[in-house]
Every structure is written in structure tokens, then in C-alpha cells.
Amino acid sequence: MVEDSHASWVPPNHPRRESLFIRERLVDGFRDGYVAFQGLIAHGRGECFDYLVGESTIPPALTAERVAAAALLTASHPVISVNGNTATLAPRQIVELSKLINAKLEVNLFYRTREREELIARVLRESGAEEVLGVADDASCTIPELFSERRRVSCRGGIYTADVVLVPLEDGDRTEALRKMGGKTVIAIDLNPLSRTSRAASITIVDNVIRAIPNMIKFAGEMREMPRDELVNMVRNFNNEENLRSVLTFIRDRLSELASKGITLEFPKP
Ligand code: PTJ
């Protein structure tokens, strides 16, 4: 359950209460100046795909979350990239995960402004982060073959030199550019299994950031004492193509079942 300051006006028995809370978080982040206009549109797209998976973590997503935790635990230089939507949806969880896996946090924005960078860094610090990379002049390294503002990254052990990068919820250009750099495992969290991000990542988690990050925290906690070889093998044996096919198959089967069972709500007969 998402705790929220909107609890007073959303009726306790509203059938979409949780979803309304989450939506309000985006609006709050937008009003506070760190969620982009376009972040609101992105959220709507995410909600649509969330309906298709049943607004819960589906088995292939759980597999990807477990493998992602293994990749992060065995990384030499893990980095978590944070944008406006992630900062408003799961700030404390992102910081908790970063501490658990010893990852750096870096602000990286498509719609980059100095004000948004600083506000997101502040949100992360207020959520317990000690260091936040990628703000102002710190973002002075450039990802090759990338022409959006996302190309600007920290040279201080951030995305530029990372061997494993977690990119929750983004547009696909950077994921592709990071893969092209070589030597980087890119973990994406994206509810759209067909997005360029999903198709370009090394490990794609088709799940809502709201659920995926807590799941990864749980897995990282459980797996941190596991032998390193076992974790490395988990990552090696993971096949993203197969996993994405399982996501599509899951959605297809779910829709077929719904179509055969019937989807309208039942009401008392007049
Ligand atoms: O904060 P900035 O400036 O970096 O901008 C962030 C946005 C999200 C606006 C920017 O990266 C963007 O334009 O992204 P797109 O191209 O709209 O892609 C966002 C993807 O995230 C879409 O495939 C959505 O389905 C997906 N998505 C949206 N909300 C969630 C999500 N995936 C997981 N969890 C969500 N809550």
C-alpha cells in the first residue's frame, strides 16, 4: 500500500484508490518542479500497460528482478540512474536499494534543466542519500553517439564508468547508446515490453517501478550472502529475448482468458 498525503480526499473504498494515490504523486512532483510535463504523459502510458499485466508483478518480471539483483550485487561499479518520475514514485526505495548494493545514485534527465537536477538531488538527499552524482558541472562526461541531454553523465565513477546501470523508466535512446559503449549491463524497468528501452536492455523488468524496486530490495537482501559464482551464473544464464517473449505470451494468454470469461462488471438485476 502506498502511504500518501491524499488519503483524506480519496474515499477509502474507492476501487482505484491505490492508483489514484500514485497518480497524485506524479502531480505533486510536477507541481514541485521536478517531474517533467512529459513525465505525466509517460505515467499514463505506464498505467495502460499495467492494466495489461493485471497491475501485479508477473512471473517473468519476478525472474528479471531476481537476475537484476544478482547483476547489481556482483557489479564492480553499479549505478542507479534517477529521473523525475522515479524520484517521485520511489525515492526512499531507490536510496535503500543503492545502499544495499553499494551503488551510486546519478541524476540523468531527458528534459534536463539545472533546476530539475537540483530538485531531484534534494529529494534523494531528503530520502537518505549521502551522495548524488550528475548535477550541474558534475555531468561533464559524454556518452558517445547520444545526442539528447541524457548524454551528459558524471565522470566521477558514475554512469560513464559503471559496469551495471539500472535505468528505471526512460526513453530508449540512452539504453541503446550505453549498450553500444560495450562492457555495460543495462537493467531497464519499463511496463512497455515493446519499447526501444525494453528491447535494447540487457535485463528488462516489465513491471511498475513502484513494485519492481521493493522486489529488488527483497531479493538483494536475500541473495547478498549467496556465493558469488552462483550469482554470476544466474546473470550469465539469463536470456532477455526469452524473458520478453514470456511477457508477451503472458499478456496474450491473460487477454484470451479475459475475452473468454467476460469482462463486464456484474450488477443486481432491475
Ligand atoms: O525526467 P526526465 O526528464 O528524464 O523525463 C522522463 C520521461 C519519463 C518523461 C522520459 O524518459 C520519457 O519521455 O519517457 P517515455 O519515452 O515516455 O518512456 C517512458 C516509459 O516508461 C514508457 O514505456 C512507459 O510505459 C513506462 N512507464 C511509465 N510509468 C512507469 C513505466 N514503467 C514502469 N513503471 C512506471 N511507473
Side-chain angles (χ1 to χ4, degrees), residues 69 78 102 114 184 208 212:
N102 221 355
R114 179 71 180 264
K184 288 191 196 297
N208 198 317

XYZ file of all heavy atoms in Angstrom, residues 69 78 102 114 184 208 212:
53
model
N 18.942 -8.194 -9.459
C 19.566 -8.076 -8.124
C 20.928 -8.773 -8.127
O 21.907 -8.250 -7.575
C 18.651 -8.679 -7.061
N 28.259 -0.424 -9.734
C 26.841 -0.272 -10.080
C 26.365 1.181 -9.898
O 26.796 1.849 -8.960
C 26.142 -1.206 -9.079
C 27.068 -1.300 -7.914
C 28.463 -1.054 -8.415
N 25.382 -1.102 -2.653
C 26.542 -0.236 -2.759
C 26.654 0.447 -4.123
O 27.716 0.465 -4.745
C 27.793 -1.080 -2.514
C 28.762 -0.303 -1.669
O 28.503 0.867 -1.368
N 29.877 -0.927 -1.317
N 18.764 22.747 -14.991
C 19.550 22.835 -13.767
C 18.634 22.744 -12.536
O 18.933 22.066 -11.565
C 20.319 24.166 -13.798
C 21.178 24.450 -12.592
C 22.395 23.525 -12.566
N 23.189 23.820 -11.412
C 24.247 24.632 -11.410
N 24.654 25.192 -12.528
N 24.919 24.854 -10.300
N 28.898 -2.851 -20.582
C 27.905 -2.401 -19.597
C 26.667 -3.301 -19.644
O 26.157 -3.598 -20.727
C 27.452 -0.968 -19.891
C 28.495 0.087 -19.590
C 27.854 1.458 -19.657
C 28.895 2.566 -19.760
N 29.780 2.659 -18.607
N 5.906 -2.325 -12.801
C 5.821 -0.949 -12.352
C 6.990 -0.669 -11.391
O 7.275 -1.493 -10.511
C 4.488 -0.718 -11.627
C 4.146 0.743 -11.512
O 4.996 1.567 -11.196
N 2.899 1.070 -11.776
N 8.641 -2.959 -8.648
C 9.931 -3.560 -9.013
C 11.034 -3.228 -8.003
O 11.811 -4.112 -7.616
C 10.349 -3.100 -10.415
